[in-house]
Amino acid sequence: MNTNKSLKSTWERSTTRRFLRWISSWRVLRRFLFGIAVLVTMVFLFYAIENWRGNRAWDRYQADAAARGTVGDWKAFVPPPVSDAENFATTPFLAPLFEFKSDPGPGESPWRDTNALARAQGFAGDLPYIREQGNWRHGQRTDLAAYVTEFETKRASATPGAQPADSEQDRVSTAASLINLLSDTVPVIEEFRTASERPKSRFAIRYDQENPAGILLPHLSVTKRVCQVLKLRALASFEKGDTESGFEDLRLMFRIAETHREEPFLISQLVRLAETQIALQVLWEGLADHRFTEPQLVALQSNLQEPDIVQGMDHSLRAERAFGIKIIDWIRAHPDRISMLGFLDGGSGDGAQAASASVLIRLAPRGWFQFEKLNYARLFEEYLLPSARTRADRVDPVLVERQIEELDQVLFLKAGAITEHQFLAKMLLPALSKVIVKAAYGQCVLSLADTACALERFRISHGSYPEQLQELVPQYLEKLPLDVITGDSLIYRRFETGRFILYSVGWNQTDDGGQYLLELSAEKEASGRPSKKTSSSKGLGLEEGDWVWTQPEA
C-alpha cells in the first residue's frame, strides 16, 4: 500500500503530469484555439486576397485588350459553318474522320465507323518513303524508277512467290508502271477531284470539346498522303506525255492545301505549307521541262497568288493565344488530368512530375490562374505576335530573332516561374522561331513560283527569257512580287545559256549569289570555323543561304 501511494505521489509531482495539466487547462486551450483561428483566418485572407488580385488584374487586362481590338475568345476563331453542298470536307472518304460517338466508354474508340477511319488512314499505305528523293529546293528531280522499285519490292515481299519487275525500263515505261501501281488510289483521287469543285472547306472538328488539348485532327495526315500520291501521278503523267492529267493533279494538290486555310491551329498551317511544297516539286519539274501551255500557266498563277501563308500563320498564332487561355482554365478545373497535356515528365512515363504539379494546382489560389492567363497572354502579345508580320508584306528576321531571344530570357533564364506566375506559360508558349521562318519561306517560294510561271509565259511568247523582271509587267504579272524579307524585288539573272536564276536573299538577309546552302571556303575549313552549311534543324537551308528557284537543264 505504501508503495502504491509513493508511486502516485511521484506521478503527481512528475513533469509530465504537470505539463498535461497545464496544456489541458482552459487558458492554454483558449490560446491554442485562438492560434488556430488566426491561422485559418490568415489562410482564408491569403486566398481571398490572391483571388481578388488575380481576378482584378485579369479583368483589367481583358478590358484593355478589348479596347485595343484584341480577340481573346477561342470561339471567335472557330470557322463558321458551311453547308454540305459547298463543303469539300463532307466528301464520303473524309466525313467519317469526324463522326464521333456521343459518349465512348473507357478505352473505347471515339469513332463511330472504325472501318472508314482505317480506310482513310491506311490510304496508299504501301507508298514508299524514299528519304531526300525529289527536292526542288536543291535542284533534285524525283526518281520515279526508285519508287517503282520500292513499290514492287514491298508488294513482292508481301506476296509469296512474286518477283519484282525488271528495273531496267525507259522513262515512259517506268511512268506507266508507276501509274499502274497507283491504280487502286484512283477512286479516292477522283472523289477528291469532284469535291474540289465545292467552293469552301470546313472539317467537322470538335472545337467545343471540353479538353481543348484533346481536339483530334485526323484529316491532316490523310490529305498530306493524298498529295504525295498526286505528286507521283502527276510526274508520271508528264513522263508519259499526258501533261493535261498531270496539270489537273497539280491543281488538285493546291486545292487540297488550301482546305486548311481557315483552321486556327499551327499544325494545320504547317501541314498546309508541307502540302504546298509537295505541289511545288511537280510545278518545278514541269517548268524545267517546258510542259505547260500558256492557259495552264495562267491557271497555275491564280493558284500561287491566292494563298497568304504568313497571314495564315499570324491568324493561327492569335488563335493559339486564345487556345492557351482555354487550356489554363481547363487545367484549373481538372488538375488530376494535367498529364494528358504531355508537357511533364519528359516522356519518362513515371508521372512523378505530373503528380506533383497536380498537387500544386489543387493548392494554388484561383487568382493565380488568372495571373497565369494574364502573363501568358502578355508574353504572347509582346514577343510572339509582333514577330509574325512586321508590316503587311514583310517579315523581319532581326526582330524575330531578338523577340524570341528576349522571350527565352524571360521564361528560362529568370528564376521563379511559380512566384512570377509563368509556370504554365513556360509549358504552353510554342517554340515559334522555326514556325515563323517556315511561314516566311513558304510565302517567298510562292512568289518565286508565280514569277517563274510568268517567265515561262514570256519565253513561250518571245522565244527566250526577259533580260529584266520588269518586262513581265503588266502582261504576265500585274505587279512584281516583293521579297517577303527585304520588301524589294526578287533577284533575277539570265545566263548566256538561256537559263535563269531567281531568288530571295533569305533569312540571313545577305545576297549569297543564289546559293541555297553556303559551302565553307578552304580557309574557313582550315581555320576550323563552323560551317554555314546545315543539315538538321536548318536542313533546308532556311536560315543560311538564299531562297532559290533554280532552273536545271531540261
Side-chain angles (χ1 to χ4, degrees):
M1 294 293 294
N2 291 336
T3 302
N4 291 338
K5 290 182 178 180
S6 176
L7 290 174
K8 182 176 180 181
S9 176
T10 302
W11 161 248
E12 289 176 347
R13 294 195 304 269
S14 68
T15 303
T16 303
R17 171 70 173 176
R18 291 198 302 272
F19 174 76
L20 290 175
R21 292 180 63 184
W22 173 80
I23 200 171
S24 61
S25 67
W26 174 242
R27 184 178 62 180
V28 173
L29 186 60
R30 280 187 306 171
R31 290 177 179 176
F32 176 75
L33 292 175
F34 178 76
I36 293 295
V38 169
L39 179 62
V40 170
T41 301
M42 291 179 63
V43 171
F44 175 80
L45 287 175
F46 168 75
Y47 276 86
I49 292 172
E50 289 303 295
N51 290 340
W52 174 78
R53 289 178 60 243
N55 289 331
R56 184 183 65 163
W58 177 241
D59 289 342
R60 284 182 174 179
Y61 173 78
Q62 283 186 301
D64 183 55
R68 297 194 310 271
T70 301
V71 179
D73 186 0
W74 164 245
K75 294 179 181 178
F77 294 93
V78 176
V82 175
S83 67
D84 289 354
E86 295 183 300
N87 193 358
F88 168 90
T90 57
T91 190
F93 185 75
L94 294 173
L97 293 174
F98 293 97
E99 293 176 354
F100 300 105
K101 299 174 183 176
S102 58
D103 188 21
E108 185 180 1
S109 171
W111 282 275
R112 291 181 184 173
D113 190 343
T114 54
N115 291 328
L117 173 70
R119 283 195 300 271
Q121 294 186 330
F123 174 75
D126 58 352
L127 184 70
Y129 172 71
I130 305 178
R131 187 174 179 82
E132 297 297 326
Q133 179 46 249
N135 190 330
W136 70 266
R137 294 171 288 257
H138 297 176
Q140 183 184 55
R141 293 176 179 270
T142 305
D143 185 355
L144 298 183
Y147 279 95
V148 170
T149 300
E150 285 293 317
F151 249 129
E152 293 181 335
T153 300
K154 288 179 71 174
R155 293 189 177 182
S157 63
T159 307
Q163 296 294 326
D166 182 9
S167 60
E168 296 296 329
Q169 303 182 65
D170 59 44
R171 294 169 62 179
V172 174
S173 299
T174 297
S177 296
L178 184 55
I179 289 178
N180 181 60
L181 289 165
L182 293 170
S183 60
D184 57 347
T185 67
V186 170
V188 173
I189 297 298
E190 293 309 313
E191 181 183 322
F192 271 58
R193 200 182 313 281
T194 300
S196 70
E197 298 174 3
R198 302 173 187 174
K200 300 178 182 179
S201 176
R202 186 192 189 276
F203 290 89
I205 298 168
R206 296 199 295 183
Y207 292 101
D208 59 349
Q209 184 163 312
E210 182 186 11
N211 174 12
I215 294 176
L216 299 173
L217 304 172
H219 62 302
L220 296 178
S221 61
V222 176
T223 57
K224 185 177 178 181
R225 177 57 64 95
V226 172
C227 285
Q228 291 168 334
V229 171
L230 284 168
K231 165 192 162 183
L232 295 179
R233 278 171 45 97
L235 293 174
S237 295
F238 288 166
E239 290 293 347
K240 287 182 62 182
D242 186 3
T243 299
E244 182 63 26
S245 294
F247 164 75
E248 292 296 337
D249 282 350
L250 174 56
R251 293 206 75 194
L252 180 55
M253 294 166 70
F254 283 123
R255 175 71 180 97
I256 291 172
E258 286 306 288
T259 62
H260 311 304
R261 178 175 55 194
E262 303 298 328
E263 293 175 13
F265 303 102
L266 279 177
I267 184 61
S268 295
Q269 298 306 312
L270 290 172
V271 170
R272 176 191 179 198
L273 179 56
E275 291 171 350
T276 301
Q277 296 295 324
I278 294 170
L280 288 177
Q281 180 70 32
V282 178
L283 176 64
W284 178 78
E285 294 195 35
L287 287 174
D289 295 333
H290 307 301
R291 296 191 182 277
F292 301 115
T293 64
E294 164 79 11
Q296 289 173 342
L297 290 166
V298 172
L300 289 170
Q301 282 186 273
S302 70
N303 289 119
L304 295 164
Q305 292 167 3
E306 177 184 3
D308 189 336
I309 301 296
V310 175
Q311 190 279 332
M313 287 291 186
D314 181 73
H315 176 75
S316 63
L317 283 175
R318 296 179 188 278
E320 194 83 18
R321 173 180 171 275
F323 188 73
I325 292 171
K326 184 175 174 66
I327 287 181
I328 292 174
D329 284 333
W330 184 83
I331 290 174
R332 183 177 71 84
H334 303 87
D336 57 322
R337 299 168 71 183
I338 190 173
S339 60
M340 293 178 62
L341 301 179
F343 298 132
L344 301 171
D345 294 310
S348 63
D350 59 13
Q353 291 184 22
S356 300
S358 177
V359 172
L360 290 174
I361 290 170
R362 290 176 186 275
L363 295 175
R366 292 193 306 273
W368 285 13
F369 290 91
Q370 305 294 63
F371 281 122
E372 288 281 350
K373 292 193 295 186
L374 171 61
N375 287 325
Y376 171 82
R378 278 181 173 170
L379 290 172
F380 222 116
E381 195 168 344
E382 292 176 11
Y383 294 104
L384 299 181
L385 293 181
S387 301
R389 190 195 291 262
T390 53
R391 292 196 293 273
D393 56 354
R394 288 280 310 279
V395 174
D396 185 349
V398 175
L399 174 64
V400 172
E401 299 292 348
R402 184 175 69 245
Q403 296 281 73
I404 298 301
E405 182 178 350
E406 291 176 359
L407 178 60
D408 286 345
Q409 291 177 346
V410 170
L411 290 178
F412 301 106
L413 298 183
K414 285 177 58 178
I418 295 178
T419 57
E420 295 287 336
H421 303 298
Q422 295 173 355
F423 175 72
L424 296 176
K426 288 182 69 172
M427 293 193 294
L428 293 173
L429 284 173
L432 292 175
S433 59
K434 303 299 181 187
V435 170
I436 298 172
V437 174
K438 289 179 179 179
Y441 176 74
Q443 193 64 56
C444 181
V445 296
L446 287 175
S447 297
L448 291 171
D450 182 21
T451 306
C453 287
L455 288 166
E456 180 65 6
R457 290 175 60 199
F458 187 98
R459 187 199 66 81
I460 291 173
S461 299
H462 298 84
S464 63
Y465 296 110
E467 292 185 4
Q468 298 179 348
L469 288 182
Q470 192 60 42
E471 297 178 52
L472 300 174
V473 180
Q475 184 174 354
Y476 307 103
L477 286 171
E478 182 178 344
K479 60 181 181 179
L480 290 179
L482 299 180
D483 189 334
V484 71
I485 299 297
T486 65
D488 299 327
S489 297
L490 299 168
I491 300 172
Y492 166 79
R493 289 200 302 272
R494 186 183 72 174
F495 302 114
E496 294 181 358
T497 59
R499 296 170 58 247
F500 68 84
I501 189 170
L502 179 69
Y503 63 95
S504 156
V505 297
W507 195 255
N508 65 3
Q509 303 180 84
T510 302
D511 185 349
D512 296 305
Q515 296 183 44
Y516 61 86
L517 291 175
L518 299 181
E519 302 286 356
L520 277 177
S521 66
E523 299 108 64
K524 287 182 180 179
E525 191 168 358
S527 66
R529 292 174 59 186
S531 172
K532 290 186 177 181
K533 185 173 182 179
T534 53
S535 58
S536 55
S537 63
K538 303 177 183 179
L540 298 179
L542 299 189
E543 297 179 25
E544 296 289 351
D546 298 326
W547 295 346
V548 186
W549 186 277
T550 61
Q551 189 197 27
E553 297 291 348

